Every structure is written in structure tokens, then in C-alpha cells.
């Protein structure tokens, strides 16, 4: 309908009143209690991350972290000083209290996310949909869900995802990224969600996507599998993702030359090719959400990290979002983990300096 001069006058009057109302509210805002405002996701900078889900347990057992000047410091501050700007946290449904294979409950995850955000860190949440480790070799349903029907499992995924993200939001944290499942080339919530029954896996993934977007539409959803250098593996999986109408935003990959039993120089070109191919084939952003190297091979691990960061940054159209080191703080004497990036004296490995650039 064509506007008349009278309609224009009403429009400007209404706009003037709205502006005055907004200014009045702004002047009185300090007298009105308001809930925490979640930090909106940002995509302004390349993500240089660390999964530090062991950190609260390490601190609870008395482990101390030191900087290179021998001063005791918050581990997160030490990481931040080395260029880390993103913290990834795994979340389990009803975990045990085991030192290395427990904790990471929803409540603990919220506390850790708030702590990281206060240091200016961006947040990624990694849903395992299990009570303990979920990876290519095991995707065990939470005990509370063990006897549920497939329809109930879909509701479980939605509710668990929604509840955790809502708890974070109420605490003032809106994750920039959310992983629906952890390393799921063979699916999740076995046997119902195995990739041999991809239509059911797709439904579970979509429930996680829908729950995430219901809490914050701007949060990016990651689907994550291992062996980031294996293009055939990724094409098979994400062709099925596409064929089954899975909703997601980012292709996440793990890259561990150590577990491939070869030096990174043998496979880094394959990683670059796969990153580029995922973007051109599916039109999605890509991210290396897990990487690590032998803590005893400091220079090699630093060089590998530099090469991986450069590979992701080289992805066309800025669709390479970042690189996340898995448990760099998990020093070997505490965790038994060979691929941490921490020294026996409680100080960070010089390998982490790769993130400074």
C-alpha cells in the first residue's frame, strides 16, 4: 500500500516516542535488577583453543601450574598468555568420580565455562552423550538411557542438550560452538545410533541441533569425526550426512599423527586437501577440534602445530575456523597421557608457543 504524508507523520511520532522510551530505560537501568547477559558468539578472530576438561580434577588433586619464570599461576592464564583464546569442555551425562575418567558433569562444565569466559575465552561444548569417554571405538549410552526406546533416546538428546545449554545461558555463557557427539564415524548411542543405520543417527544429530538452536540460534553446531587426513572417510560420512538431511554448521575433525604411527610431514598435505575438499564439496566451515603431539618431542610437536594452524588458515574464504589442542595441561605424571603439552616441572611445553603466531 502506498504511504501518505499522514502515515509518515505517525511513523516519525512513533519512532520519536520509542527513542525517548529507550533513553529513559537506559538512564534508569542501574536501578533495575537484570539477569546475566550471555556473551554473544564472535567470529572475529581465528580460534586457537585447548580442551582442558581435566583441569578441575588436576587442581582438586593438588596439581600446581607454573609459568616459565617459576611463578605459580592459573593454568588458563598460562594458556591465554600463549595465544589460546578458546576453551573446549566435554560434558558427560552422569559421570563417576574417577580422577581421569569421571567428572565433567553438566554442573562442573558450567562452573568451568564461567571461569574461562571471565578470562575472555571463547567457549566450545563437546557433548559425548555418555557417562564416560565416547570415541570411534565406544559410544556407550548413559546408564539412565540404557533401556530407552529410540523415540525416548531422541528426547534424551534434545533435553540433555537443551538443559546444559540453558544452564550455561543462565550463568551468562553462550557457547560459540557446540559439538553434537564426539568422534562419531560409527555413530553414537550404540546400537540405535550406529552409522550403519544412518537415518536414525541423523535423527539424533538433528535433535541435538534443534536443542542448540532453541537456546541460541547463533551458536554453531559441529559434527565431528576422527582422522582428519582421511578424505575418503570424510566423504563417505558427510555424503551420508547430506543424504539424510542432517542439520549442522561446521565439519570438525581430529588430527593425531602420533596415532597414525607416522610423522606429521607424511600426512599434513592430506589434511590440507581434506579441509579444502570439505569446504568445496559441502559448503561448510571446517575446524580441527582435536590435535596433539608427543610431549617428549617438543620441537616436532611445535612444528606440527604450526603446520596445522597454517593449513586451517589457508582454507579458502576464511572458512577454516581454528585449531584446538586436546588436554595440553594433562601432564603425563598425572594423566598418563603421552600427548599433553606440559612438562614434568609443572610448566607449559614450548610447543604451545606455536599458538602465539
Amino acid at each position: 500500500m502506498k504511504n501518505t504524508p499522514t502515515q509518515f507523520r505517525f511513523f516519525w511520532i512513533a519512532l520519536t516516542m520509542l527513542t525517548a522510551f529507550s533513553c529513559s530505560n537506559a538512564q534508569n537501568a542501574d536501578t533495575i535488577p537484570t539477569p546475566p547477559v550471555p556473551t554473544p558468539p564472535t567470529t572475529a578472530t581465528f580460534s586457537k583453543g585447548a580442551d582442558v576438561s581435566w583441569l578441575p580434577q588436576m587442581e582438586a588433586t593438588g596439581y600446581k601450574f607454573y609459568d616459565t619464570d617459576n611463578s605459580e599461576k592459573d593454568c588458563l592464564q598460562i594458556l591465554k598468555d600463549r595465544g589460546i583464546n578458546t576453551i573446549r569442555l566435554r560434558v558427560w551425562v552422569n559421570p563417576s568420580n574417577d580422577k581421569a575418567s569421571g567428572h565433567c558433569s553438566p554442573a562442573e562444565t558450567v562452573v568451568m565455562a564461567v571461569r574461562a569466559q571471565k578470562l575472555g575465552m571463547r567457549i566450545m561444548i563437546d557433548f559425548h552423550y555418555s557417562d564416560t569417554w565416547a570415541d570411534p571405538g565406544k559410544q556407550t549410552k548413559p546408564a539412565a538411557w540404557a533401556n530407552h526406546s529410540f523415540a525416548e533416546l531422541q528426547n534424551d538428546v534434545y533435553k540433555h542438550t537443551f538443559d546444559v545449554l540453558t544452564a550455561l545461558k543462565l550463568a551468562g555463557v553462550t557457547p560459540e560452538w557446540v559439538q553434537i557427539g564426539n568422534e562419531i564415524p560409527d555413530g553414537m548411542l550404540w546400537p540405535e545410533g550406529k552409522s550403519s543405520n544412518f537415518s536414525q543417527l541423523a535423527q539424533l544429530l538433528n535433535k541435538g541441533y534443534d536443542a542448540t538452536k532453541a537456546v541460541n540460534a547463533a551458536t554453531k553446531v559441529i559434527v565431528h569425526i576422527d582422522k582428519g587426513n582421511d578424505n575418503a572417510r570424510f566423504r563417505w560420512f558427510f555424503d551420508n550426512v547430506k543424504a539424510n538431511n542432517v542439520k549442522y554448521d561446521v565439519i570438525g575433525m581430529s588430527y593425531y599423527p602420533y596415532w597414525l604411527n607416522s610423522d606429521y610431514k607424511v600426512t599434513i598435505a592430506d589434511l590440507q586437501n581434506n579441509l579444502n575438499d570439505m569446504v568445496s564439496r559441502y559448503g561448510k566451515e571446517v575446524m580441527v577440534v582435536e590435535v596433539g603431539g608427543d610431549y617428549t618431542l617438543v620441537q616436532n610437536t611445535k612444528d606440527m602445530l604450526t603446520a596445522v594452524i597454517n593449513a586451517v588458515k589457508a582454507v579458502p574464504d576464511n572458512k577454516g575456523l581454528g585449531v584446538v589442542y586436546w588436554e595440553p595441561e594433562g601432564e603425563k605424571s598425572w594423566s598418563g597421557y603421552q600427548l599433553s603439552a606440559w612438562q614434568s616441572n609443572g610448566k607449559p611445553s614450548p610447543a604451545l608457543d606455536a599458538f602465539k603466531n
Side-chain angles (χ1 to χ4, degrees):
M1 182 175 65
K2 189 176 181 180
N3 289 317
T4 66
T6 301
Q7 288 171 320
F8 275 120
R9 284 196 296 273
F10 279 122
F11 169 78
W12 286 114
I13 291 169
L15 182 61
T16 302
M17 292 176 66
L18 179 60
T19 302
F21 177 75
S22 299
C23 292
S24 176
N25 277 355
Q27 292 170 354
N28 294 299
D30 58 339
T31 65
I32 303 172
T34 57
V37 178
T39 300
T42 175
T43 55
T45 58
F46 188 81
S47 173
K48 294 180 283 189
D51 187 314
V52 294
S53 302
W54 270 329
L55 179 56
Q57 296 95 276
M58 294 182 75
E59 293 172 334
T61 58
Y63 193 92
K64 304 295 184 182
F65 294 89
Y66 298 91
D67 211 334
T68 51
D69 63 357
N70 296 319
S71 61
E72 184 180 342
K73 287 185 181 178
D74 181 351
C75 175
L76 293 183
Q77 185 63 54
I78 294 173
L79 291 170
K80 183 176 180 180
D81 291 343
R82 274 142 193 84
I84 299 296
N85 60 26
T86 299
I87 293 299
R88 178 181 187 254
L89 300 169
R90 62 179 166 269
V91 58
W92 291 330
V93 179
N94 292 302
S96 72
N97 289 321
D98 182 80
K99 182 185 80 168
S101 298
H103 298 273
C104 301
S105 67
E108 291 172 319
T109 301
V110 170
V111 171
M112 193 66 195
V114 169
R115 174 179 163 186
Q117 183 175 273
K118 285 181 178 178
L119 278 178
M121 302 291 204
R122 301 151 78 180
I123 305 298
M124 178 188 297
I125 300 297
D126 176 18
F127 284 97
H128 283 230
Y129 302 109
S130 183
D131 291 335
T132 188
W133 306 107
D135 56 44
K138 52 188 178 297
Q139 295 280 338
T140 306
K141 284 182 284 190
W145 306 358
N147 297 317
H148 287 190
S149 67
F150 180 64
E152 289 172 322
L153 286 175
Q154 292 180 73
N155 291 333
D156 292 332
V157 168
Y158 187 97
K159 186 177 187 303
H160 175 62
T161 307
F162 183 87
D163 288 352
V164 171
L165 296 179
T166 298
L168 285 162
K169 187 174 184 177
L170 291 173
V173 178
T174 296
E176 191 166 341
W177 307 274
V178 165
Q179 274 191 226
I180 305 302
N182 184 73
E183 292 190 325
I184 57 168
D186 200 22
M188 64 187 199
L189 294 169
W190 293 347
E192 288 84 354
K194 268 189 165 286
S195 54
S196 56
N197 189 347
F198 220 101
S199 65
Q200 290 198 167
L201 173 59
Q203 292 174 69
L204 294 170
L205 291 172
N206 284 341
K207 285 293 183 181
Y209 177 96
D210 290 344
T212 300
K213 299 297 185 175
V215 178
N216 191 289
T219 297
K220 293 183 178 181
V221 170
I222 300 172
V223 174
H224 167 214
I225 68 173
D226 64 326
K227 298 184 179 178
N229 58 294
D230 189 340
N231 182 245
R233 184 183 190 84
F234 273 72
R235 281 192 171 203
W236 170 81
F237 187 87
F238 285 97
D239 279 356
N240 275 289
V241 162
K242 184 176 181 179
N244 286 275
N245 299 311
V246 174
K247 295 177 286 187
Y248 70 110
D249 304 305
V250 179
I251 291 174
M253 53 185 72
S254 297
Y255 178 65
Y256 292 106
Y258 180 90
W259 300 119
L260 300 173
N261 299 311
S262 67
D263 188 79
Y264 78 92
K265 297 182 188 72
V266 177
T267 54
I268 190 67
D270 294 330
L271 174 68
Q272 181 76 76
N273 172 68
N274 192 36
L275 287 163
N276 294 348
D277 186 58
M278 292 299 99
V279 171
S280 61
R281 188 176 179 88
Y282 305 109
K284 299 293 184 179
E285 295 172 317
V286 291
M287 196 170 195
V288 174
V289 297
E290 290 188 24
V291 69
D294 190 328
Y295 82 99
T296 67
L297 305 177
V298 175
Q299 189 61 49
N300 183 267
T301 295
K302 182 179 179 180
D303 292 344
M304 181 271 292
L305 288 174
T306 298
V308 173
I309 290 167
N310 288 341
V312 178
K313 285 184 175 180
V315 172
D317 301 323
N318 294 315
K319 288 188 178 292
L321 301 183
V323 176
V324 180
Y325 201 108
W326 195 84
E327 296 286 12
E329 88 296 354
E331 193 266 315
K332 179 71 179 287
S333 69
W334 187 92
S335 67
Y337 183 54
Q338 190 72 17
L339 308 188
S340 73
W342 223 260
Q343 302 175 95
S344 59
N345 58 9
K347 299 178 184 180
S349 168
L352 291 177
D353 289 345
F355 285 107
K356 288 182 177 179
N357 300 321

